[in-house]
Amino acid sequence: MPQQTTDSAPQQSTQAAPDQSPFSTAPESAVLAVVGLGYVGLPLAVAFGRRRKVIGFDINARRIAQLKRGEDHTGEVSGPDLAAAKHLTLTDDAAELAGATVYIVTVPTPVDEHQRPDLSP
């Protein structure tokens, strides 16, 4: 009867522990880009910007200027919360997105005349 051998080398898991964010396993050098700083994107960019480098991008230059002043007209994020996002860079310059390694797109989905999402190309 052949002898069975067991591999006693520890196995490394690539999954985050249940109490950890999946982003906690991303390299610290990873730069996130949040494209679209509306009611979804801005709070997301601010939350990540507290802990890691984030590029917050919006095509509306007035919106970017307002956010840089610590003001959010949507009321989603307070001035102190914006200030606490020390690693968040706000821009309307698409060229700055080239510095990111992870992209999160939070732009509005167009709807048709019946208010259904238009997912056509």
Side-chain angles (χ1 to χ4, degrees):
M1 179 169 216
Q3 196 174 25
Q4 292 184 345
T5 60
T6 60
D7 185 6
S8 61
Q11 298 289 321
Q12 289 187 336
S13 173
T14 58
Q15 291 183 329
D19 60 339
Q20 289 182 327
S21 161
F23 287 104
S24 65
T25 60
E28 290 300 316
S29 62
V31 177
L32 304 180
V34 177
V35 179
L37 298 176
Y39 70 94
V40 173
L42 181 61
L44 189 65
V46 167
F48 280 127
R50 290 176 180 213
R51 301 188 69 174
R52 61 174 50 244
K53 187 168 181 184
V54 176
I55 301 165
F57 173 81
D58 201 284
I59 60 171
N60 185 336
R62 288 188 305 173
R63 174 92 169 125
I64 294 300
Q66 174 197 59
L67 293 171
K68 285 182 176 181
R69 290 190 306 268
E71 304 167 5
D72 173 27
H73 74 274
T74 68
E76 294 296 325
V77 176
S78 70
D81 285 340
L82 273 168
K86 300 289 185 197
H87 306 287
L88 173 60
T89 300
L90 299 165
T91 186
D92 63 339
D93 181 0
E96 290 189 45
L97 293 172
T101 52
V102 176
Y103 296 84
I104 303 170
V105 180
T106 61
V107 298
T109 302
V111 294
D112 65 16
E113 65 276 2
H114 302 290
Q115 301 302 312
R116 293 181 299 211
D118 179 1
L119 303 177
S120 63

